[in-house]
């Protein structure tokens, strides 16, 4: 089984697979929010470590863990270049009583819990007066975005690889149950979401198959200039669109032939129950949320080495 396909369910008997899908869906959203709310690298690294351990338990694949680094790394490099062009560091001065704002840009310094964090310039190839600089804030912002994006990818992968599409549909439907009170057809919404999630690994496999077929016919997807790569992309995207529309049409005809009625009242064959595994996972989730909340309160006295990893600058 290929464990590197994004969004594909892995039929493995693990602790995470046996958790309630509703809990996994809410936890996925909660951890994404926590990763972007936390203001310290240590807090984010604790959350990311918990996510990595859960990922290894649910996939049993260390290789795929490193393969997931590719996209966040590309995004981080791009963001670093943008930050080097937009963030200007503090210019050193022999007069310490002159405010830093007069010796640098708007990002020359920041205050946090009574401490002044100076945006030091580490590298300025065209001089400190130019905007292309490698500064402390550029590195901190880039690293924080990298950690957060990587955590989001891992949490989403855990949800899709440990939860069957039918269970995920049921979880979304149960969580959207209050919307039925205002006559919103939640079953149709969840069915659309379920089909979309189900088609993600199918389309990825179809794209891989088309790329291999086109490569055997002499199409080069890796080399060439921008014009050649654009042509190669068109050769890939057009058959993929045709195949996706064909699969969608076949699916609609199959559902119609089996008497699928969107607005019919539904019963459920699979019943969801909360067990001891869910209670243990809920306890860990509550601890994680409490840790983030405590770290965000300014009146709480954190260790200096924890405060030193402040990243929202």
């Amino acid at each position: 089984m290929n464990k590197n396909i994004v969004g594909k369910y892995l039929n493995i008997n693990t602790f995470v697979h046996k958790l309630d899908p509703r809990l996994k869906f809410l936890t996925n959203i909660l951890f994404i929010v926590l990763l972007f709310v936390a203001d310290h690298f240590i807090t984010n690294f604790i959350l990311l470590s918990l996510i990595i351990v859960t990922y290894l338990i649910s996939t049993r694949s260390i290789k795929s863990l490193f393969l997931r680094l590719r996209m966040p790394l590309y995004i981080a490099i791009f963001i670093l270049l943008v930050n080097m062009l937009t963030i200007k560091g503090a210019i050193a001065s022999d007069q310490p009583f002159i405010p830093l704002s007069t010796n640098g840009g708007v990002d020359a310094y920041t205050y946090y819990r009574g401490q002044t964090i100076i945006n030091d310039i580490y590298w300025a190839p065209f001089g400190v007066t130019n905007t292309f600089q490698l500064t402390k804030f550029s590195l901190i912002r880039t690293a924080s975005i990298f950690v957060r994006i990587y955590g989001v990818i891992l949490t989403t992968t855990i949800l899709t690889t440990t939860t069957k599409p039918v269970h995920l549909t049921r979880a979304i439907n149960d969580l959207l149950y209050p919307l039925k009170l205002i006559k919103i057809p939640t079953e149709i919404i969840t069915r659309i979401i379920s089909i979309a999630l189900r088609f993600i690994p199918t389309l990825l496999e179809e794209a891989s198959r088309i790329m291999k077929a086109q490569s055997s016919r002499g199409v080069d997807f890796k080399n060439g200039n921008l014009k050649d790569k654009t042509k190669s992309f068109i050769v890939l995207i057009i058959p993929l669109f045709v195949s996706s529309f064909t699969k969608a049409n076949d699916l609609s005809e199959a559902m119609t032939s089996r008497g699928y009625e969107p607005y019919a009242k539904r019963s459920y064959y699979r019943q969801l129950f909360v067990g001891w595994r869910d209670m243990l996972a809920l306890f860990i989730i509550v601890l994680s949320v409490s840790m983030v909340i405590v770290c965000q309160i300014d009146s709480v006295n954190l260790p200096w080495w924890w405060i030193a990893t402040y990243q929202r600058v």
Side-chain angles (χ1 to χ4, degrees):
M1 181 179 295
N2 187 3
K3 296 183 180 182
N4 296 327
I5 296 178
V6 179
K8 187 174 183 179
Y9 173 74
L10 299 179
N11 190 13
I12 307 175
N13 187 18
T14 66
F15 179 89
V16 184
H17 281 72
K18 296 179 181 179
L19 293 177
D20 192 300
R22 295 168 295 187
L23 178 63
K24 287 189 284 187
F25 185 81
L26 290 177
T27 304
N28 179 67
I29 299 176
L30 179 62
F31 266 78
I32 292 175
V33 174
L34 292 179
L35 285 170
F36 283 90
V37 168
D39 287 342
H40 304 88
F41 273 120
I42 293 182
T43 309
N44 266 340
F45 276 124
I46 293 175
L47 295 175
L48 185 61
S49 300
L50 183 59
I51 294 171
I52 289 175
V53 171
T54 307
Y55 182 87
L56 293 176
I57 294 174
S58 58
T59 62
R60 298 177 182 175
S61 175
I62 300 179
K63 180 181 178 180
S64 63
L65 183 67
F66 291 99
L67 291 177
R68 298 286 185 267
L69 286 168
R70 185 180 304 171
M71 182 181 297
L73 185 60
Y74 292 156
I75 296 176
I77 293 174
F78 174 77
I79 292 177
L80 179 61
L81 294 176
V82 173
N83 288 335
M84 291 176 67
L85 290 171
T86 57
I87 298 177
K88 188 175 181 180
I91 302 175
S93 176
D94 295 332
Q95 304 178 26
F97 297 103
I98 298 179
L100 288 172
S101 59
T102 62
N103 292 334
V106 294
D107 295 305
Y109 67 98
T110 186
Y111 291 109
Y112 178 65
R113 298 194 178 187
Q115 299 182 10
T116 302
I117 304 175
I118 301 176
N119 186 19
D120 298 320
I121 301 176
Y122 295 143
W123 183 53
F126 306 109
V128 294
T129 57
N130 292 322
T131 56
F132 191 77
Q133 302 173 356
L134 180 62
T135 64
K136 178 190 292 185
F137 289 2
S138 299
L139 294 176
I140 291 177
R141 291 178 181 179
T142 303
S144 63
I145 292 296
F146 171 79
V147 171
R148 287 163 174 165
I149 293 178
Y150 186 51
V152 169
I153 292 176
L154 291 184
T155 53
T156 307
T157 305
I158 292 171
L159 176 65
T160 55
T161 54
T162 62
T163 311
K164 294 181 179 179
V166 62
H167 292 164
L168 187 58
T169 303
R170 175 67 188 281
I172 297 175
N173 187 47
D174 289 350
L175 295 175
L176 295 179
Y177 184 81
L179 297 179
K180 291 183 179 180
L181 301 177
I182 54 177
K183 304 300 181 181
I184 295 180
T186 58
E187 289 86 358
I188 298 178
I189 297 175
T190 54
R191 181 61 57 186
I192 294 173
I193 296 174
S194 174
I195 293 175
L197 293 175
R198 173 63 184 84
F199 263 79
I200 291 176
T202 303
L203 291 179
L204 289 176
E205 291 180 347
E206 186 71 15
S208 178
R209 186 187 64 82
I210 294 174
M211 287 183 65
K212 292 179 181 178
Q214 297 291 3
S215 298
S216 65
R217 293 176 173 84
V219 179
D220 191 358
F221 291 97
K222 297 181 180 180
N223 302 318
N225 53 29
L226 181 61
K227 182 178 180 181
D228 295 334
K229 290 184 177 180
T230 303
K231 291 181 180 179
S232 302
F233 180 76
I234 294 175
V235 172
L236 170 65
I237 201 67
I238 292 178
L240 186 61
F241 267 105
V242 174
S243 176
S244 61
F245 283 121
T246 302
K247 291 181 182 297
N249 184 60
D250 294 340
L251 178 62
S252 63
E253 292 179 355
M255 295 175 68
T256 302
S257 64
R258 288 169 173 79
Y260 175 74
E261 176 58 40
Y263 295 95
K265 186 177 181 180
R266 307 201 171 278
S267 59
Y268 300 100
Y269 171 73
R270 297 175 178 85
Q271 301 297 324
L272 301 178
F273 300 99
V274 178
W276 66 269
R277 297 181 183 86
D278 304 308
M279 299 304 297
L280 178 60
L282 183 61
F283 176 73
I284 297 174
I285 294 168
V286 171
L287 288 180
S288 302
V289 175
S290 302
M291 177 193 66
V292 174
I293 293 176
V294 170
C295 293
Q296 292 299 112
I297 300 176
D298 292 339
S299 59
V300 175
N301 294 323
L302 295 174
W304 66 268
W305 46 269
W306 196 302
I307 296 178
T309 62
Y310 176 71
Q311 63 181 4
R312 192 183 63 181
V313 294

